[in-house]
Every structure is written in C-alpha cells, then in structure tokens.
Amino acid sequence: MEILKFKVTLLSDVIISESPATQGRHRGLDFIPGNNFLGIAASQLYKNEDEHTYLLFHSGHVRFGDANPGYNDIRSHRTPACFFKPKYPDRLPAGTDSQARFVHHKIANFAMIRESQPKQCRSGFMAFDGDIAYEIDLSRNYVIKSAYDSKKRRAEDEKLFGYESLAKGAVLYFGVELDGGAAGCKKEISDALSGLRHIGRSRSAQFGLVRIEPFDYRDTYESLPEDNYVVVYADSRLCFFDEEGKPTMFPTAEQLGVKGGEIDLSKSQIRTFQYTPWNYKRQAFGNERCGIEKGSVIIVKGTTGKEEAYVGAYQNEGFGKVIYNPSFLKADSDGISKLTFKELKDEGCHDDNDDDWTARFSDTSLLSYLCSKKAQQTEEKYTYSIVDDFVNTRKDLFKDITASQWGTIRGIALSAEKDEGIINLIKTYLSKGVAKGKWDERGRREVLVRFLDQNSSQASVRDLVINLTSEMAKDKNKQEENDR
C-alpha cells in the first residue's frame, strides 16, 4: 500500500457544511471530508469513463482521507469520545491532577470520581506527540448573507441566511492511500490535487480558496494490545449496512474487523451522525447516510493483531478508517490517562512560516488594483487624521485668516501641475501682496509651511492642502455665523 501525504492551507475562509439543507440553522464541520479531495481529483482526471477512471474512483483501491488540523507537523485525531474531564476538579480525590482526563472503559471505580461530575470531551482534535496531547480547536467565523433580487437590484426580502466557516490561515493534513493496481498512479493523483483549489460552499464568492501541496506529516501513535478485548477507535466516520442492505448504526464485531468478537456497549462511547449528501453533478440528493461519528470508541471482546484497517462503506471518500488499541488511550489502574494535556491557542494550528499567498498573484491586474486601493485608503486615513489634529490645535492661531485666503491656497494646489512645486507656490503667495501682513503675524506662514514639509513624504501634498484649506475655511465660516 502506498500513502500520499498532503498539507492544506486555507487561503480564505472555507465553508464545509454538516448538512446540505438550506433551511434551519447552518452548522459547519471543523475538518475537511475526503470526498472534497476526491471531487478535486475527479474534476482533473475524470474525462472519459473507462477502466482507468474506474480504477481510480470506483474500485476502492484509492481512498481519500479526511483533512484534520495539524500541529508541529503532526496530523491530529478527533478527541476520543472515551475521554472525560471533571466539571468540578476541586471535588476530585486528594492527590488527583485537576487537569486529568479519565478514560471511560478503564475506570474501575466510578464512585471515586462521581462527585466531580465528569463530562465527555466531544469537540476539537488532539495531536499526540509522545506523552503530550495538544488540544486543538480551530477558530470559526459566522457571517450573515442575504439573497439577491436581480430584477429589483437589491437584497431579497426575508431571505437572510448564515454560514459558519473555518477561519483563513488554518493548516490541515490528509492522506491518500493507494493499493492494488492504483499504486502506480501516485504522480497522476498528486499532480491533480496539488496547487490552488476551491472547496466547500460559495466557491464563486469569497470562500473556499486553499493551497494543497505534498507534505510528509507525522502519525505518532502505535498499537498496544489489550488483554481480552479490542479498543476500536473511529479515526473517520463509519457507515454500515445490515443484512437487508439498510443503513445501520449498530454494526457487528465482524463488520468492525474483529472476528468472533462481541461488542460491549456498557464500556463503549459511540456518537452518531445523519445527513443526506447533495450531488452537484446530478443536481439531486443521494442516499441518506447515517453511522458512527469519528472519535467514537467501541470496546469489542476478542483479539486482533491489526493496527489499523478500513471497514464499512464509502471508503473511497474517507469513511471507514479505524485504529485498533491506539497508544493514546492508555491509562493507569484508576482510569486516569497517562498523557499530559496542553491547550493550543488558535495560532498554533497556523503556518507561521508561510509566505503571504497574495505574493503568488502579484502579477495580476486585479490584485494590483486592490493593493493600490488599499494604499490609497491608508494614505487618505492618515491625511484626515493629521488635518483634523492640526485644525483642532491651531484654529486659534489662524482665526484672523479669512475663508477667501484659504480658498486661494486651495486653488493653488488644484492648479499646480506637480505635487513637488505646490509648497513653493504657497510660500510665494504668502510672502507677497495683501496676504503677507496677516501671515507674518505670530509666525503663521512658518507653522503652515513646516506642517506641509513634515508630512509631504507620507501623504500627497495636493490632497493634504485641499483637505486642510477646506476644513479651515469651514471653521472660519462657522465662527462668522456665531458672531452674527
């Protein structure tokens, strides 16, 4: 079996819906399902239906895994559902670490921890590095949109909706497993996936831009056999069908890969999901899917020598991966996990060394336009700020200057051919004629010229003079109205 490993960097917010429904509350997933990467590969390689496309997309020999958050080059796993933490740590027995996590199927004496009211750990991911578990919870954004009425050219009435999205900048890892005859298609699949891609909802709007690139991330777990039972950890979502071909949430031990075993529901922690996928190509809903959520832990009485396997249906879309007896579920005789848990801030799941993705588009006219507009807005904001400060602090000094004189200075700036000569033209005007007397008093000319000289390198002199003279003239007119 060959494994291709990839890194996904979110270059914009990404919307991955928990359900394709358009009504009711929208919930977003905190990982990227493997079927998104299958779709990307199919869009590049599925030109004609033949034996080759059957091998890549229908034979089950190519499995596109889910993209989970990463930390320190480690692909994380969904927080195991068998982890419990105390709601009231101060009620734990003396000597027990308040940050401890209890592994449910390892707890021998529940009375000892009942007072602390342990609650199940259900959200987020964990990156396991030796005896340390880094808790990851990607930040998400929520935006409210409105449907657009193209006839009236405005927002439609009563058509507000919201989207929850994964925040830009997050880094996730996923793998593609190939076996059988598909093992020779590594380069083909790698080329199809790598590069700038769009995934999720609203791809044509502001969401969904990602960069996919090969990356050799780490998997830091091993299989530690247990006596008389097998711990089956769902590393991805699991879907099963019963003997009649109907979806079921109650698989047999054989379906979980443990022959001759028996599931112990009293020690298992199982969470479920249910949704109906939308097929964009056919513009129709597919068969309803229901099954066991990733992170679930199932205890099976029996033995197995495997470390991991794929079970159930939809394996080519990333469903069905399980890990047997993972080392990150080890605990002592009291059921306390042997791991040390550390919470990560959101920036821990971002690629701090990654260059700004906009550099890759620096030669496009659109980005050049956007960059120039941003620079213009920054300059305008600076100009307004310094002009406002000058007017508020110096208006008493210039109260004898008439609005018409400010208007003349404004006219000089408007008619000048270049910014470089505007200050000299203003100095010439203020040093001659009837204006000279007023501007000589109290050093008014020197204050104005010095202000323009000091800020000419950070703002357009023309815009600076136009804004300043307009504000000073307005202030003078207000004074005259108050005097009347």
Side-chain angles (χ1 to χ4, degrees):
M1 181 179 65
E2 300 283 348
I3 301 178
L4 302 177
K5 297 181 178 181
F6 297 90
K7 176 172 75 170
V8 184
T9 305
L10 307 191
L11 304 182
S12 67
D13 283 14
V14 173
I15 301 171
I16 306 293
S17 299
E18 186 180 71
S19 169
T22 56
Q23 291 185 340
R25 181 187 172 189
H26 173 272
R27 291 185 177 89
L29 296 176
D30 53 357
F31 66 97
I32 303 176
N35 55 14
N36 288 269
F37 307 115
L38 186 152
I40 291 173
S43 67
Q44 302 290 319
L45 304 175
Y46 206 113
K47 298 178 176 61
N48 297 304
E49 189 173 350
D50 52 26
E51 292 182 0
H52 186 63
T53 54
Y54 174 81
L55 175 66
L56 291 177
F57 303 109
H58 305 290
S59 67
H61 291 302
V62 182
R63 296 178 289 275
F64 296 83
D66 297 338
N68 291 349
Y71 173 71
N72 198 22
D73 298 344
I74 300 173
R75 180 181 179 271
S76 65
H77 301 271
R78 170 69 76 190
T79 300
C82 64
F83 280 173
F84 283 71
K85 61 181 179 181
K87 186 175 182 180
Y88 301 105
D90 55 316
R91 299 180 186 178
L92 288 170
T96 305
D97 185 3
S98 61
Q99 299 298 320
R101 299 289 189 274
F102 296 96
V103 181
H104 179 267
H105 59 271
K106 291 279 191 176
I107 301 174
N109 184 9
F110 284 91
M112 181 184 68
I113 62 173
R114 187 171 291 118
E115 288 296 321
S116 65
Q117 294 188 25
K119 58 180 181 180
Q120 188 180 43
C121 301
R122 297 182 175 181
S123 62
F125 292 80
M126 289 187 177
F128 302 102
D129 190 3
D131 290 331
I132 301 177
Y134 296 98
E135 299 180 275
I136 301 172
D137 194 2
L138 293 181
S139 64
R140 286 178 270 185
N141 297 324
Y142 190 83
V143 294
I144 295 179
K145 300 285 187 178
S146 174
Y148 181 70
D149 190 330
S150 58
K151 294 182 178 180
K152 297 181 180 179
R153 297 185 180 182
R154 63 177 179 84
E156 272 195 69
D157 295 331
E158 301 179 358
K159 289 293 181 67
L160 285 175
F161 58 93
Y163 275 143
E164 185 179 66
S165 61
L166 291 175
K168 168 186 174 181
V171 174
L172 303 94
Y173 300 131
F174 75 97
V176 180
E177 298 187 13
L178 306 92
D179 57 27
C185 303
K186 292 191 297 181
K187 186 177 186 306
E188 191 175 3
I189 292 178
S190 180
D191 292 344
L193 290 174
S194 301
L196 297 175
R197 299 288 183 258
H198 288 81
I199 61 176
R201 282 191 169 185
S202 295
R203 295 190 296 269
S204 60
Q206 68 195 73
F207 300 98
L209 182 63
V210 303
R211 182 171 65 247
I212 303 176
E213 54 193 327
F215 186 85
D216 190 20
Y217 60 80
R218 294 186 289 153
D219 279 318
T220 56
Y221 63 85
E222 56 182 338
S223 180
L224 299 177
E226 300 283 357
D227 295 332
N228 303 321
Y229 66 88
V230 177
V231 180
V232 182
Y233 169 78
D235 193 40
S236 66
R237 294 175 292 179
L238 311 178
C239 278
F240 299 97
F241 294 92
D242 61 19
E243 296 177 351
E244 298 178 353
K246 299 177 182 178
T248 179
M249 296 183 184
F250 299 95
T252 64
E254 285 77 12
Q255 287 178 308
L256 292 172
V258 185
K259 294 183 179 180
E262 181 183 353
I263 297 177
D264 187 349
L265 292 177
S266 66
K267 292 185 177 294
S268 301
Q269 293 295 322
I270 302 174
R271 304 190 68 208
T272 61
F273 70 89
Q274 186 174 359
Y275 76 99
T276 304
W278 170 260
N279 189 300
Y280 180 80
K281 188 71 175 178
R282 293 190 290 110
Q283 290 292 296
F285 287 101
N287 294 329
E288 183 182 53
R289 296 184 182 181
C290 57
I292 297 173
E293 187 61 86
K294 64 193 301 179
S296 297
V297 176
I298 306 171
I299 307 302
V300 182
K301 297 176 182 177
T303 59
T304 182
K306 299 179 182 179
E307 291 187 2
E308 61 180 50
Y310 278 85
V311 298
Y314 310 117
Q315 295 179 16
N316 60 329
E317 300 179 27
F319 286 75
K321 186 176 181 180
V322 296
I323 302 174
Y324 300 105
N325 300 319
S327 54
F328 50 78
L329 297 183
K330 58 187 178 182
D332 61 21
S333 58
D334 292 327
I336 300 176
S337 173
K338 294 183 179 180
L339 301 176
T340 301
F341 296 86
K342 294 185 178 181
E343 289 188 14
L344 284 179
K345 294 182 179 179
D346 182 62
E347 56 266 22
C349 310
H350 286 61
D351 192 350
D352 296 329
N353 297 319
D354 190 43
D355 295 331
D356 185 358
W357 68 273
T358 56
R360 297 174 178 260
F361 302 92
S362 58
D363 58 343
T364 65
S365 57
L366 174 60
L367 188 66
S368 298
Y369 169 75
L370 294 175
C371 289
S372 64
K373 291 295 291 183
K374 182 178 179 180
Q376 180 183 345
Q377 290 175 354
T378 301
E379 183 179 301
E380 288 177 353
K381 184 177 180 181
Y382 175 78
T383 300
Y384 296 152
S385 175
I386 60 176
V387 165
D388 187 61
D389 182 67
F390 185 88
V391 172
N392 291 332
T393 57
R394 302 286 186 176
K395 60 184 178 182
D396 289 339
L397 176 64
F398 293 93
K399 65 180 181 180
D400 294 334
I401 304 300
T402 63
S404 62
Q405 290 186 38
W406 288 115
T408 302
I409 297 173
R410 185 174 186 272
I412 292 172
L414 287 171
S415 60
E417 295 183 0
K418 297 181 179 180
D419 278 14
E420 292 78 4
I422 292 177
I423 296 178
N424 289 331
L425 291 173
I426 293 174
K427 288 168 66 176
T428 301
Y429 165 71
L430 299 179
S431 302
K432 296 180 179 180
V434 295
K436 182 177 183 302
K438 290 290 185 182
W439 287 97
D440 283 342
E441 291 180 8
R442 303 175 64 183
R444 293 188 179 108
R445 180 173 58 250
E446 287 74 15
V447 171
L448 177 62
V449 172
R450 185 167 61 251
F451 170 75
L452 297 177
D453 280 331
Q454 288 175 345
N455 295 286
S456 60
S457 61
Q458 300 182 58
S460 166
V461 176
R462 190 189 309 273
D463 293 341
L464 188 60
V465 173
I466 291 173
N467 279 278
L468 176 62
T469 54
S470 297
E471 292 301 317
M472 295 299 282
K474 289 179 185 177
D475 188 72
K476 182 63 179 177
N477 290 331
K478 287 181 181 179
Q479 291 180 11
E480 292 177 354
E481 289 178 2
N482 292 334
D483 292 342
R484 295 194 194 104

